[in-house]
Amino acid sequence: MLGGMEMRTWIEPVVAGAQLASSFYDTGLLLVVKNYYNQTNSSAHSNENSQQKAISNFFIIYKLLDGLTPLLSAYGLAKLGDLKSRKISICVPLLGYLLSRILLLLLILQMWPIEVMYGAAVLHGLSGGFTTYWASVMALVSKGSSENRRSLRLIVVELIYGIAGFVGSIASGHLFVSFHLSYRHGAVLVSCSVALYAFCLLYSLFVLRVPKTARSCPLASTEPNHPDIKLAEDDGGEPHFHESRSSMVPSKLIIAMLFVAAIMYDSTVVGAMDVLPFFLLKEPLSWGPVYIGYANAAGFLIFITSFLGVFMFSRVFRDTTMIMMGIVSFSVGILIMAFVQWTYLFYVARGVMLFALIPLPTIRSLLSKHIEGTSYGKVFVLLQLSLVITGVVTSAVYNKIYQNTLEWFSGFCFLLSCGVGCLSLIPISIIAWKQKAPSGSLEILTD
């Protein structure tokens, strides 16, 4: 009976189902938009570049609406989740996901104009969107895990997210091409997405239980030569990384630097990944639905390699070291992506990014060690809102840069991401220096 109750606190089924549904939706929306502009512009015999600009302009508006509308509801939902129940701030966004995906299905079946999806983006955003949903998932997991295992616990959830995205991306291209109703390409794919979101909503409402707050494991001993590696009694004496309390003194500087690093790094990833699908659709690659699905799946493999990285490195390195490793991994990989002209080189670039997921969940873990458990929801949603706002601006800027550099060097945006990614190492370096300083020199700042 106890085991059954513990299983009901697992958020993993929701994370897996929602990400599988999201993978289906993302591939479906991209290809539906492409087909729409193909048909619209066929009589004008427009060239590939004009089609690329039309698709890019659609996604600029779509992502602006989808990213900015959560500003109206995300903080309120997160605060309600902190005060009442975390299920509120998880279920409301899932309902928004479900309704907005139903609109795409109706668009396909009824042949509505593509502008309907702007309304779907607004609906999704007003329900809290990914901002509220993911911040609430991270808050729920953080509150239910001990400090010394939190980085690993968060990356496990990211791993489940990545595996689901990998499977969904592999399957999505085949579903789009092979299964359709009459000439309604994408109907079956989007129907599967709708069904999965319905499952996630029902599971969250009737099965999921919010876990109680977990306490940190008592520390039994400390290795003399490695002051940050300790033994936890209830882990069977197995060594694992744990930040020493002297380096965890609450500091507004550290919290501010974590926010700056997260925003800078996320902007580099969002900007590059937003233009990557357009880059793959054009020459010289000119990929179709199946290869687009494979490309998305390759991106989700990073979740697995990043999990393995945290699992191995958290026993040896500080959180700040792991964050810097992840930033370097992405920056070098995206530098290679700028010069991709052959299929194999794309996968080489993706392979170099094997630790690119480590920074954000590790930053969240480090951040959670500087705040009270009752504030997780509010602080995480503030971080997520910061990421979304800068991500929306970055997306629009990168799309415009991509359009203007399309003729002479379509990989310029990736070079830009590499540069900003390297700059995001600076705030993490400041945190690392702050934590290595003698405890007496640490500035204790309280509200």
Side-chain angles (χ1 to χ4, degrees), residues 348-431:
V348 169
R350 276 302 198 184
V352 174
M353 297 180 197
L354 76 169
F355 297 136
L357 183 69
I358 290 177
L360 286 180
T362 309
I363 286 172
R364 288 190 182 98
S365 173
L366 199 52
L367 184 62
S368 71
K369 298 170 186 177
H370 290 273
I371 58 177
E372 295 294 331
T374 53
S375 301
Y376 284 166
K378 290 181 288 186
V379 174
F380 283 168
V381 86
L382 283 174
L383 174 61
Q384 197 66 37
L385 280 172
S386 302
L387 299 181
V388 168
I389 293 170
T390 54
V392 166
V393 174
T394 301
S395 177
V397 170
Y398 269 67
N399 272 275
K400 285 301 181 183
I401 292 174
Y402 178 73
Q403 292 177 20
N404 292 328
T405 58
L406 193 58
E407 301 288 346
W408 61 277
F409 184 49
S410 57
F412 179 79
C413 286
F414 303 142
L415 293 180
L416 183 61
S417 278
C418 176
V420 179
C422 292
L423 290 176
S424 68
L425 290 167
I426 296 174
I428 298 300
S429 300
I430 293 173
I431 295 171

Coordinates of all heavy atoms in Angstrom, one line a residue, residues 348-431:
V348 N 27.7 15.1 -36.2 CA 29.0 15.4 -35.5 C 28.7 16.5 -34.6 O 29.1 16.5 -33.4 CB 30.1 15.7 -36.5 CG1 31.3 16.2 -35.7 CG2 30.5 14.4 -37.3
A349 N 28.1 17.6 -35.1 CA 27.8 18.8 -34.3 C 26.9 18.4 -33.1 O 27.2 18.8 -31.9 CB 27.2 19.9 -35.1
R350 N 25.9 17.6 -33.3 CA 25.0 17.2 -32.3 C 25.8 16.3 -31.2 O 25.5 16.4 -30.0 CB 23.8 16.4 -32.8 CG 22.7 17.3 -33.3 CD 22.1 18.1 -32.2 NE 20.8 18.6 -32.5 CZ 20.2 19.5 -31.6 NH1 20.8 19.9 -30.6 NH2 19.0 19.9 -31.9
G351 N 26.7 15.5 -31.7 CA 27.5 14.7 -30.8 C 28.3 15.5 -29.9 O 28.5 15.1 -28.7
V352 N 28.9 16.6 -30.4 CA 29.7 17.4 -29.5 C 28.9 18.1 -28.4 O 29.4 18.4 -27.4 CB 30.5 18.5 -30.4 CG1 31.2 19.5 -29.5 CG2 31.4 17.8 -31.4
M353 N 27.6 18.3 -28.7 CA 26.7 18.9 -27.7 C 26.3 17.9 -26.6 O 25.3 18.2 -26.0 CB 25.5 19.5 -28.4 CG 25.8 20.6 -29.4 SD 24.2 21.2 -30.1 CE 24.8 22.1 -31.5
L354 N 27.0 16.9 -26.4 CA 26.5 15.8 -25.6 C 26.2 16.2 -24.1 O 25.3 15.6 -23.4 CB 27.4 14.6 -25.6 CG 28.7 14.7 -24.8 CD1 29.4 13.3 -24.8 CD2 29.7 15.6 -25.4
F355 N 26.8 17.3 -23.6 CA 26.5 17.7 -22.3 C 25.8 19.0 -22.2 O 25.7 19.7 -21.2 CB 27.8 17.9 -21.5 CG 28.6 16.6 -21.3 CD1 30.0 16.6 -21.5 CD2 28.0 15.4 -21.0 CE1 30.7 15.4 -21.4 CE2 28.7 14.2 -20.8 CZ 30.0 14.2 -21.0
A356 N 25.1 19.4 -23.3 CA 24.5 20.7 -23.4 C 23.3 20.9 -22.5 O 22.9 22.1 -22.2 CB 24.1 21.0 -24.8
L357 N 22.7 19.9 -22.0 CA 21.6 20.0 -21.1 C 21.9 20.2 -19.7 O 21.1 20.7 -18.9 CB 20.7 18.7 -21.2 CG 19.4 18.7 -20.4 CD1 18.4 19.8 -21.0 CD2 18.8 17.4 -20.4
I358 N 23.2 19.9 -19.3 CA 23.6 20.0 -17.9 C 23.4 21.4 -17.2 O 22.9 21.5 -16.1 CB 25.0 19.6 -17.7 CG1 25.2 18.0 -18.0 CG2 25.6 19.9 -16.3 CD1 26.6 17.5 -17.9
P359 N 23.7 22.5 -17.9 CA 23.6 23.8 -17.2 C 22.3 24.2 -16.6 O 22.3 24.5 -15.4 CB 24.0 24.8 -18.3 CG 24.8 24.0 -19.3 CD 24.3 22.6 -19.3
L360 N 21.2 24.1 -17.3 CA 19.9 24.7 -16.7 C 19.4 23.9 -15.5 O 19.1 24.5 -14.4 CB 18.8 24.8 -17.8 CG 19.1 26.0 -18.7 CD1 18.0 26.0 -19.8 CD2 19.1 27.3 -18.0
P361 N 19.3 22.5 -15.5 CA 18.8 21.8 -14.3 C 19.8 22.0 -13.2 O 19.4 22.0 -12.0 CB 18.7 20.4 -14.8 CG 19.4 20.2 -16.0 CD 19.4 21.6 -16.7
T362 N 21.1 22.0 -13.5 CA 22.1 22.2 -12.4 C 22.0 23.6 -11.8 O 22.1 23.8 -10.6 CB 23.5 21.9 -12.9 OG1 23.5 20.7 -13.6 CG2 24.5 21.9 -11.8
I363 N 21.7 24.6 -12.6 CA 21.5 26.0 -12.1 C 20.3 26.0 -11.2 O 20.3 26.6 -10.1 CB 21.3 27.0 -13.3 CG1 22.7 27.2 -13.9 CG2 20.7 28.3 -12.8 CD1 22.6 28.1 -15.2
R364 N 19.2 25.3 -11.6 CA 18.0 25.2 -10.8 C 18.3 24.5 -9.4 O 17.8 25.0 -8.4 CB 16.9 24.5 -11.5 CG 16.3 25.3 -12.7 CD 15.0 24.6 -13.2 NE 14.4 25.3 -14.3 CZ 14.6 24.9 -15.6 NH1 15.4 23.9 -15.9 NH2 14.0 25.6 -16.6
S365 N 19.1 23.5 -9.5 CA 19.4 22.8 -8.3 C 20.2 23.7 -7.3 O 20.0 23.7 -6.1 CB 20.2 21.5 -8.6 OG 20.7 20.9 -7.5
L366 N 21.2 24.4 -7.9 CA 22.0 25.3 -7.1 C 21.2 26.4 -6.5 O 21.4 26.8 -5.4 CB 23.2 25.8 -8.0 CG 24.4 26.4 -7.3 CD1 25.0 25.5 -6.3 CD2 25.4 26.8 -8.4
L367 N 20.3 26.9 -7.3 CA 19.4 28.0 -6.9 C 18.5 27.5 -5.7 O 18.3 28.3 -4.8 CB 18.5 28.5 -8.1 CG 17.6 29.6 -7.8 CD1 18.4 30.9 -7.5 CD2 16.8 29.9 -9.1
S368 N 18.0 26.3 -5.8 CA 17.1 25.8 -4.8 C 17.8 25.7 -3.4 O 17.1 25.7 -2.4 CB 16.5 24.4 -5.2 OG 17.5 23.4 -5.1
K369 N 19.1 25.6 -3.4 CA 19.9 25.5 -2.2 C 20.1 26.8 -1.5 O 20.6 26.9 -0.4 CB 21.2 24.8 -2.4 CG 21.1 23.4 -3.0 CD 22.5 22.9 -3.5 CE 22.3 21.5 -4.1 NZ 23.6 21.0 -4.7
H370 N 19.6 27.9 -2.2 CA 19.8 29.2 -1.6 C 18.4 29.8 -1.2 O 18.4 31.0 -0.8 CB 20.5 30.2 -2.6 CG 21.9 29.8 -2.8 ND1 22.9 30.3 -2.0 CD2 22.5 29.0 -3.7 CE1 24.1 29.9 -2.4 NE2 23.9 29.1 -3.4
I371 N 17.3 29.1 -1.4 CA 16.0 29.6 -1.1 C 15.2 28.6 -0.2 O 15.6 27.5 -0.2 CB 15.2 29.9 -2.4 CG1 15.1 28.7 -3.3 CG2 15.9 31.1 -3.2 CD1 14.2 28.9 -4.5
E372 N 14.2 29.1 0.4 CA 13.3 28.3 1.2 C 12.4 27.4 0.3 O 12.0 27.8 -0.8 CB 12.4 29.1 2.1 CG 13.2 29.9 3.2 CD 13.9 29.0 4.2 OE1 13.4 27.9 4.4 OE2 15.0 29.4 4.7
G373 N 12.1 26.2 0.8 CA 11.2 25.3 0.1 C 9.9 25.9 -0.3 O 9.3 25.6 -1.3
T374 N 9.4 26.8 0.6 CA 8.1 27.4 0.4 C 8.1 28.4 -0.7 O 7.0 28.9 -1.2 CB 7.5 28.0 1.7 OG1 8.5 28.9 2.1 CG2 7.3 27.0 2.7
S375 N 9.2 28.7 -1.2 CA 9.4 29.7 -2.3 C 9.8 29.1 -3.6 O 10.0 29.8 -4.6 CB 10.4 30.8 -1.9 OG 10.0 31.5 -0.7
Y376 N 9.9 27.8 -3.7 CA 10.4 27.2 -4.9 C 9.5 27.5 -6.1 O 10.0 27.9 -7.2 CB 10.4 25.6 -4.8 CG 11.5 25.1 -3.9 CD1 11.4 23.7 -3.5 CD2 12.6 25.8 -3.6 CE1 12.5 23.2 -2.7 CE2 13.6 25.3 -2.8 CZ 13.6 24.0 -2.4 OH 14.6 23.4 -1.6
G377 N 8.2 27.4 -6.0 CA 7.3 27.7 -7.1 C 7.5 29.1 -7.6 O 7.6 29.3 -8.8
K378 N 7.5 30.1 -6.7 CA 7.6 31.5 -7.1 C 8.9 31.8 -7.8 O 9.0 32.5 -8.8 CB 7.4 32.4 -5.9 CG 5.9 32.4 -5.4 CD 5.8 33.4 -4.2 CE 6.4 32.8 -3.0 NZ 6.2 33.6 -1.8
V379 N 10.0 31.3 -7.1 CA 11.4 31.6 -7.7 C 11.6 30.9 -9.0 O 12.1 31.5 -10.0 CB 12.4 31.2 -6.7 CG1 13.8 31.4 -7.3 CG2 12.3 32.1 -5.4
F380 N 11.2 29.7 -9.1 CA 11.3 28.9 -10.3 C 10.5 29.5 -11.5 O 11.0 29.5 -12.6 CB 11.0 27.4 -10.2 CG 12.1 26.6 -9.5 CD1 11.8 25.4 -9.0 CD2 13.3 27.2 -9.3 CE1 12.8 24.6 -8.4 CE2 14.3 26.5 -8.6 CZ 14.0 25.2 -8.2
V381 N 9.3 30.0 -11.2 CA 8.5 30.6 -12.2 C 9.1 31.9 -12.6 O 9.0 32.3 -13.8 CB 7.0 30.7 -11.8 CG1 6.7 31.9 -11.1 CG2 6.1 30.6 -13.1
L382 N 9.7 32.7 -11.7 CA 10.3 33.9 -12.0 C 11.5 33.7 -13.0 O 11.7 34.4 -13.9 CB 10.8 34.7 -10.8 CG 9.7 35.4 -10.0 CD1 10.3 35.9 -8.7 CD2 9.1 36.5 -10.8
L383 N 12.3 32.6 -12.7 CA 13.4 32.2 -13.5 C 12.8 31.8 -14.9 O 13.4 32.3 -15.9 CB 14.2 31.1 -12.9 CG 15.3 30.5 -13.8 CD1 16.3 31.5 -14.1 CD2 15.9 29.3 -13.1
Q384 N 11.8 31.0 -14.9 CA 11.2 30.5 -16.2 C 10.6 31.7 -17.0 O 10.8 31.8 -18.2 CB 10.1 29.5 -15.9 CG 9.8 28.6 -17.1 CD 10.9 27.8 -17.6 OE1 11.7 27.3 -16.8 NE2 11.1 27.6 -18.9
L385 N 10.0 32.6 -16.3 CA 9.5 33.8 -17.0 C 10.6 34.7 -17.6 O 10.5 35.2 -18.7 CB 8.7 34.7 -16.0 CG 7.2 34.3 -15.8 CD1 6.6 35.1 -14.6 CD2 6.4 34.4 -17.0
S386 N 11.7 34.8 -16.8 CA 12.9 35.5 -17.4 C 13.4 34.8 -18.6 O 13.8 35.5 -19.6 CB 14.0 35.5 -16.3 OG 13.5 36.2 -15.1
L387 N 13.5 33.5 -18.6 CA 13.9 32.7 -19.7 C 13.0 32.9 -20.9 O 13.5 33.0 -22.0 CB 14.1 31.2 -19.3 CG 15.1 30.9 -18.2 CD1 15.1 29.3 -18.0 CD2 16.5 31.4 -18.5
V388 N 11.7 32.8 -20.6 CA 10.7 33.0 -21.7 C 10.8 34.3 -22.4 O 10.8 34.4 -23.6 CB 9.3 32.6 -21.2 CG1 8.3 33.0 -22.2 CG2 9.2 31.2 -20.9
I389 N 10.8 35.4 -21.5 CA 10.8 36.7 -22.1 C 12.1 37.0 -22.9 O 12.0 37.4 -24.1 CB 10.8 37.8 -20.9 CG1 9.4 37.7 -20.2 CG2 11.0 39.2 -21.5 CD1 9.4 38.5 -18.9
T390 N 13.2 36.6 -22.4 CA 14.5 36.8 -23.2 C 14.5 35.8 -24.4 O 15.0 36.2 -25.5 CB 15.7 36.5 -22.3 OG1 15.6 35.2 -21.7 CG2 15.9 37.6 -21.3
G391 N 13.9 34.6 -24.2 CA 13.8 33.7 -25.3 C 12.9 34.2 -26.5 O 13.3 34.0 -27.6
V392 N 11.8 34.8 -26.1 CA 10.9 35.4 -27.2 C 11.7 36.5 -27.9 O 11.6 36.5 -29.2 CB 9.6 35.9 -26.5 CG1 8.9 36.8 -27.5 CG2 8.8 34.8 -26.1
V393 N 12.3 37.4 -27.2 CA 13.1 38.4 -27.9 C 14.2 37.9 -28.7 O 14.4 38.3 -29.9 CB 13.6 39.4 -26.8 CG1 14.5 40.5 -27.5 CG2 12.5 40.1 -26.0
T394 N 14.9 36.9 -28.1 CA 16.0 36.3 -28.8 C 15.5 35.6 -30.1 O 16.1 35.7 -31.2 CB 16.7 35.2 -27.9 OG1 17.2 35.9 -26.8 CG2 17.9 34.6 -28.7
S395 N 14.4 34.9 -30.0 CA 13.8 34.2 -31.1 C 13.5 35.1 -32.3 O 13.8 34.9 -33.4 CB 12.5 33.4 -30.7 OG 11.9 32.8 -31.8
A396 N 12.9 36.3 -31.9 CA 12.5 37.2 -33.0 C 13.8 37.8 -33.6 O 13.9 38.0 -34.8 CB 11.7 38.4 -32.4
V397 N 14.8 38.2 -32.8 CA 16.0 38.7 -33.3 C 16.8 37.8 -34.2 O 17.2 38.1 -35.3 CB 16.9 39.2 -32.1 CG1 18.3 39.6 -32.6 CG2 16.3 40.4 -31.4
Y398 N 16.9 36.5 -33.7 CA 17.6 35.5 -34.5 C 16.9 35.2 -35.8 O 17.6 35.0 -36.8 CB 17.7 34.2 -33.7 CG 19.0 34.1 -32.8 CD1 19.2 35.0 -31.8 CD2 20.0 33.2 -33.1 CE1 20.4 34.9 -31.0 CE2 21.2 33.1 -32.4 CZ 21.4 34.0 -31.3 OH 22.5 33.9 -30.6
N399 N 15.6 35.2 -35.8 CA 14.8 34.9 -37.0 C 15.1 36.0 -38.0 O 15.3 35.8 -39.2 CB 13.3 34.8 -36.7 CG 12.9 33.4 -36.4 OD1 12.7 32.5 -37.3 ND2 12.9 33.0 -35.1
K400 N 15.1 37.3 -37.6 CA 15.4 38.4 -38.5 C 16.8 38.4 -39.0 O 17.1 38.6 -40.1 CB 15.1 39.7 -37.8 CG 13.6 40.0 -37.6 CD 12.9 40.1 -39.0 CE 11.5 40.4 -38.9 NZ 10.8 40.3 -40.3
I401 N 17.8 38.0 -38.1 CA 19.2 37.9 -38.5 C 19.3 36.8 -39.5 O 20.0 36.9 -40.5 CB 20.1 37.6 -37.3 CG1 20.1 38.9 -36.3 CG2 21.5 37.3 -37.7 CD1 20.9 38.7 -35.1
Y402 N 18.6 35.7 -39.3 CA 18.7 34.6 -40.2 C 18.2 35.0 -41.6 O 18.8 34.6 -42.6 CB 17.8 33.4 -39.6 CG 17.8 32.2 -40.6 CD1 18.9 31.3 -40.7 CD2 16.6 31.9 -41.3 CE1 18.8 30.3 -41.6 CE2 16.6 30.8 -42.1 CZ 17.7 30.0 -42.3 OH 17.6 28.9 -43.1
Q403 N 17.1 35.7 -41.6 CA 16.5 36.2 -42.9 C 17.5 37.1 -43.6 O 17.7 37.0 -44.8 CB 15.2 36.9 -42.7 CG 14.0 36.0 -42.2 CD 12.8 36.8 -41.9 OE1 12.6 37.9 -42.4 NE2 11.9 36.2 -41.1
N404 N 18.2 38.0 -42.9 CA 19.1 38.9 -43.5 C 20.4 38.3 -43.9 O 21.1 38.9 -44.7 CB 19.3 40.1 -42.6 CG 18.0 40.9 -42.4 OD1 17.2 41.0 -43.3 ND2 17.8 41.5 -41.2
T405 N 20.8 37.2 -43.3 CA 22.1 36.6 -43.6 C 21.9 35.3 -44.5 O 22.9 34.6 -44.7 CB 22.8 36.2 -42.3 OG1 22.0 35.3 -41.5 CG2 23.2 37.4 -41.5
L406 N 20.6 35.0 -44.9 CA 20.3 33.8 -45.6 C 21.1 33.8 -46.9 O 21.5 32.7 -47.3 CB 18.8 33.8 -45.8 CG 18.2 32.5 -46.3 CD1 18.5 31.3 -45.4 CD2 16.7 32.6 -46.5
E407 N 21.2 34.9 -47.6 CA 21.8 34.9 -48.9 C 23.3 34.7 -48.9 O 23.9 34.0 -49.8 CB 21.5 36.3 -49.6 CG 20.1 36.6 -49.7 CD 19.4 35.7 -50.8 OE1 20.1 35.1 -51.5 OE2 18.1 35.7 -50.8
W408 N 24.0 35.2 -47.8 CA 25.5 35.1 -47.9 C 26.1 34.1 -46.9 O 27.1 33.5 -47.2 CB 26.1 36.5 -47.6 CG 25.8 37.1 -46.3 CD1 24.6 37.8 -46.0 CD2 26.6 37.1 -45.1 NE1 24.7 38.3 -44.7 CE2 25.9 37.8 -44.2 CE3 27.8 36.6 -44.8 CZ2 26.4 38.0 -42.9 CZ3 28.3 36.8 -43.5 CH2 27.6 37.5 -42.6
F409 N 25.4 33.8 -45.7 CA 25.9 32.8 -44.8 C 24.8 32.4 -43.8 O 24.6 33.1 -42.8 CB 27.2 33.3 -44.1 CG 27.8 32.2 -43.2 CD1 28.1 31.0 -43.7 CD2 28.1 32.5 -41.9 CE1 28.6 30.0 -42.9 CE2 28.7 31.6 -41.1 CZ 29.0 30.3 -41.5
S410 N 24.1 31.3 -44.1 CA 22.9 31.0 -43.4 C 23.3 30.4 -42.0 O 22.5 30.3 -41.1 CB 22.1 29.9 -44.1 OG 22.9 28.8 -44.4
G411 N 24.6 30.2 -41.7 CA 25.0 29.7 -40.4 C 25.5 30.8 -39.5 O 26.0 30.5 -38.4
F412 N 25.3 32.0 -39.8 CA 25.8 33.1 -39.0 C 25.2 33.1 -37.6 O 25.8 33.4 -36.6 CB 25.5 34.5 -39.7 CG 25.9 35.7 -38.9 CD1 27.2 36.1 -38.9 CD2 25.0 36.4 -38.1 CE1 27.7 37.2 -38.1 CE2 25.4 37.5 -37.4 CZ 26.7 37.9 -37.4
C413 N 23.9 32.8 -37.5 CA 23.2 32.7 -36.2 C 23.9 31.8 -35.2 O 23.9 32.0 -34.0 CB 21.7 32.4 -36.3 SG 20.7 33.7 -37.0
F414 N 24.4 30.7 -35.8 CA 25.1 29.7 -34.9 C 26.4 30.2 -34.4 O 26.8 30.0 -33.3 CB 25.3 28.4 -35.7 CG 24.0 27.8 -36.3 CD1 24.0 27.2 -37.5 CD2 22.8 27.8 -35.5 CE1 22.8 26.7 -38.0 CE2 21.7 27.3 -36.0 CZ 21.6 26.7 -37.3
L415 N 27.1 31.0 -35.2 CA 28.3 31.7 -34.7 C 28.0 32.7 -33.6 O 28.7 32.8 -32.6 CB 29.0 32.4 -35.9 CG 29.6 31.6 -37.0 CD1 30.2 32.5 -38.1 CD2 30.6 30.6 -36.5
L416 N 26.9 33.4 -33.8 CA 26.5 34.3 -32.7 C 26.2 33.6 -31.4 O 26.6 34.1 -30.3 CB 25.2 35.1 -33.2 CG 24.7 36.2 -32.3 CD1 25.7 37.3 -32.1 CD2 23.4 36.8 -32.9
S417 N 25.5 32.4 -31.5 CA 25.2 31.7 -30.3 C 26.4 31.2 -29.6 O 26.5 31.1 -28.4 CB 24.3 30.4 -30.7 OG 23.0 30.8 -30.8
C418 N 27.4 30.8 -30.4 CA 28.7 30.4 -29.8 C 29.3 31.5 -29.0 O 29.8 31.2 -27.9 CB 29.7 29.9 -31.0 SG 31.3 29.4 -30.4
G419 N 29.3 32.7 -29.5 CA 29.9 33.8 -28.8 C 29.2 34.1 -27.5 O 29.8 34.3 -26.5
V420 N 27.9 34.2 -27.6 CA 27.1 34.5 -26.4 C 27.2 33.3 -25.3 O 27.3 33.6 -24.1 CB 25.6 34.7 -26.7 CG1 24.8 35.0 -25.4 CG2 25.4 35.9 -27.7
G421 N 27.3 32.1 -25.8 CA 27.5 31.0 -24.9 C 28.8 31.1 -24.2 O 28.8 30.8 -22.9
C422 N 29.8 31.5 -24.8 CA 31.1 31.7 -24.2 C 31.0 32.8 -23.1 O 31.6 32.7 -22.0 CB 32.2 32.0 -25.2 SG 32.6 30.6 -26.3
L423 N 30.3 33.8 -23.4 CA 30.1 34.9 -22.4 C 29.4 34.5 -21.2 O 29.6 35.0 -20.1 CB 29.4 36.1 -23.1 CG 30.2 36.9 -24.1 CD1 29.3 38.0 -24.7 CD2 31.4 37.5 -23.5
S424 N 28.5 33.5 -21.3 CA 27.7 33.0 -20.1 C 28.6 32.3 -19.1 O 28.2 32.0 -18.0 CB 26.6 32.1 -20.6 OG 27.0 30.9 -21.2
L425 N 29.8 32.0 -19.5 CA 30.8 31.4 -18.6 C 31.2 32.3 -17.5 O 31.6 31.9 -16.4 CB 32.0 30.9 -19.3 CG 31.8 29.6 -20.2 CD1 33.1 29.5 -21.1 CD2 31.6 28.4 -19.4
I426 N 31.1 33.6 -17.8 CA 31.6 34.7 -16.8 C 30.9 34.6 -15.5 O 31.5 34.5 -14.4 CB 31.6 36.1 -17.5 CG1 32.5 36.1 -18.7 CG2 31.9 37.1 -16.5 CD1 32.5 37.4 -19.5
P427 N 29.5 34.7 -15.5 CA 28.8 34.7 -14.2 C 29.0 33.4 -13.4 O 29.1 33.4 -12.2 CB 27.3 34.9 -14.5 CG 27.2 34.6 -16.0 CD 28.6 35.0 -16.6
I428 N 29.1 32.3 -14.1 CA 29.4 31.0 -13.4 C 30.8 31.0 -12.8 O 31.0 30.5 -11.7 CB 29.2 29.8 -14.4 CG1 27.8 29.7 -14.9 CG2 29.6 28.5 -13.7 CD1 26.8 29.6 -13.9
S429 N 31.7 31.6 -13.5 CA 33.1 31.7 -13.0 C 33.1 32.6 -11.7 O 33.8 32.3 -10.7 CB 34.0 32.3 -14.0 OG 34.1 31.5 -15.2
I430 N 32.3 33.6 -11.7 CA 32.2 34.5 -10.5 C 31.6 33.7 -9.3 O 32.1 33.7 -8.2 CB 31.3 35.7 -10.8 CG1 31.9 36.6 -11.8 CG2 31.0 36.4 -9.5 CD1 31.1 37.8 -12.2
I431 N 30.6 32.8 -9.6 CA 30.0 32.0 -8.5 C 31.1 31.0 -8.0 O 31.2 30.8 -6.8 CB 28.8 31.2 -9.0 CG1 27.7 32.2 -9.4 CG2 28.3 30.2 -8.0 CD1 26.5 31.6 -10.1

